[in-house]
Amino acid sequence: MTPDYSAILNTIYAEIQPLLSEGEVASYIPQLSTISPQHFGMAVYCLDGRTFAVGDAHQKFSLQSITKLFALALAFSREGDSIWTRVGREPSGNPFNSLVQLEYERGKPRNPFINAGALVISDILSTRFVQSDIAVLQFARMIADEPNIDFDTTVAQSEHETAHRNYAIAHLMKDFGNFHNPVRTVIESYCRQCSITMTCAELAKAGSFLAQHGSIPWNGTQILDASSAKRMNALMLTCGTYDAAGDFAYRVGLPAKSGVGGGILALVPGDLAVAVWSPGLDTTGNSLAGTYALERFTTLTARSIF
Ligand code: GLN
């Protein structure tokens, strides 16, 4: 039976209201701290083209680490399995911006969704493209079918001014020989990439190819082969929400990617993509109300991968 997505989104919207004052908006990127934690939006993009939305689902927000998914899809589609010589495929069990593991694992990041791994992917893209940030932006525009998607240069600049940890991570990897381009060039591109904004409605649509075996639902363009799309889903499940990935799989049961802007993209393979945005974060850097909303979504729709 097809769930009544409109009614379910309205139920969730009512339920999450008390949670909006509980999370903490990210402040280590100063510009992100100016966003009110009271926002909440959620959008569903079904592979048959039906869409559903509630709350601030049509308001742009900073994608941040969700762009790591697009950068990885682009790198994986162009470079194939060779990327795994530079970055691993295991959950880190550490915060997304940790340096600790990188030292004793000799500069090879655990996975492409923590900052170290995403910086290696940016480095790989910087070797392949003249401007890796523009390549990721164009890719995002294509998969969202939305030419107006853009960077938020104020957020990018704000992040770059305080990017000491990402600089430290990149320099450490360079010392181990796992970083080929100039650190500054790659970090500037990475900050612009992270600053891409989308609405929940755009994000759900952009992620839908990953729910449909790598092909864009509305025009059939094969972005990734089915096997690679399956692997992306596996990485999202095991690593997409940092060191909370186990708890997220337990509570929500879907492959997902989160960002410190408060967004989360989740997939029901073969069925739909769902995006949620609420800027208040829990202590692991995932949207507090957003995670709860997705937990309720899989419960109320009886849809998950398990
Ligand atoms: N741009 C952010 C950073 O590098 C992204 C982190 C995130 O969303 N978890 O710190």
Side-chain angles (χ1 to χ4, degrees):
M1 201 181 82
T2 309
D4 184 345
Y5 291 116
S6 285
I8 289 170
L9 291 192
N10 286 330
T11 301
I12 293 171
Y13 188 64
E15 283 184 12
I16 57 85
Q17 293 302 320
L19 296 178
L20 296 182
S21 41
E22 281 190 23
E24 290 273 335
V25 176
S27 57
Y28 76 99
I29 299 174
Q31 193 62 26
L32 291 184
S33 67
T34 62
I35 311 292
S36 163
Q38 293 301 318
H39 290 293
F40 179 88
M42 191 164 186
V44 172
Y45 186 91
C46 297
L47 298 183
D48 61 13
R50 288 174 304 142
T51 58
F52 303 90
V54 75
D56 300 320
H58 298 289
Q59 187 164 330
K60 299 264 190 194
F61 63 93
S62 194
L63 290 186
Q64 293 299 320
S65 278
I66 299 171
T67 63
K68 291 171 181 170
L69 188 62
F70 305 151
L72 177 64
L74 181 59
F76 200 18
S77 69
R78 300 299 165 94
E79 308 284 339
D81 280 334
S82 68
I83 63 172
W84 305 123
T85 60
R86 308 263 317 263
V87 58
R89 304 188 294 255
E90 290 291 347
S92 69
N94 277 302
F96 65 86
N97 55 4
S98 173
L99 275 147
V100 179
Q101 223 161 25
L102 205 53
E103 166 71 358
Y104 63 77
E105 295 186 355
R106 307 198 56 77
K108 183 173 179 182
R110 273 289 171 106
N111 68 66
F113 292 150
I114 51 172
N115 283 14
L119 287 167
V120 164
I121 296 296
S122 284
D123 186 45
I124 291 170
L125 292 175
S126 294
T127 300
R128 179 152 192 132
F129 297 99
V130 179
Q131 282 185 281
S132 70
D133 53 330
I134 302 284
V136 175
L137 179 66
Q138 281 169 345
F139 182 76
R141 287 173 174 167
M142 176 190 52
I143 58 175
D145 196 23
E146 182 46 77
N148 297 323
I149 284 164
D150 217 335
F151 304 125
D152 180 335
T153 49
T154 311
V155 169
Q157 199 177 346
S158 176
E159 174 165 15
H160 188 252
E161 280 163 12
T162 53
H164 313 300
R165 210 166 242 282
N166 284 334
Y167 267 95
I169 289 170
H171 279 295
L172 188 56
M173 293 193 293
K174 201 161 184 74
D175 186 64
F176 280 114
N178 194 18
F179 208 87
H180 301 165
N181 294 281
V183 167
R184 190 185 172 94
T185 311
V186 175
I187 300 239
E188 283 176 348
S189 285
Y190 169 81
C191 291
R192 278 195 295 275
Q193 169 199 306
C194 288
S195 81
I196 292 174
T197 61
M198 279 192 198
T199 69
C200 288
E202 289 166 346
L203 180 59
K205 191 172 179 185
S208 61
F209 77 97
L210 287 166
Q212 186 164 276
H213 312 295
S215 84
I216 291 185
W218 59 92
N219 64 15
T221 305
Q222 198 78 38
I223 303 290
L224 289 169
D225 61 59
S227 173
S228 301
K230 178 186 71 178
R231 293 184 164 136
M232 293 281 296
N233 275 261
L235 286 167
M236 290 170 77
L237 183 75
T238 52
C239 312
T241 47
Y242 320 115
D243 50 332
D247 191 56
F248 191 93
Y250 179 87
R251 288 175 56 194
V252 179
L254 296 178
K257 185 72 206 85
S258 61
V260 290
I264 308 175
L265 168 68
L267 308 171
V268 184
D271 205 348
L272 59 85
V274 50
V276 62
W277 170 54
S278 180
L281 308 179
D282 63 21
T283 52
T284 62
N286 295 303
S287 172
L288 191 143
T291 303
Y292 181 77
L294 290 169
E295 181 177 355
R296 292 296 290 147
F297 182 79
T298 51
T299 303
L300 294 171
T301 58
R303 297 255 186 306
S304 86
I305 61 166
F306 299 111

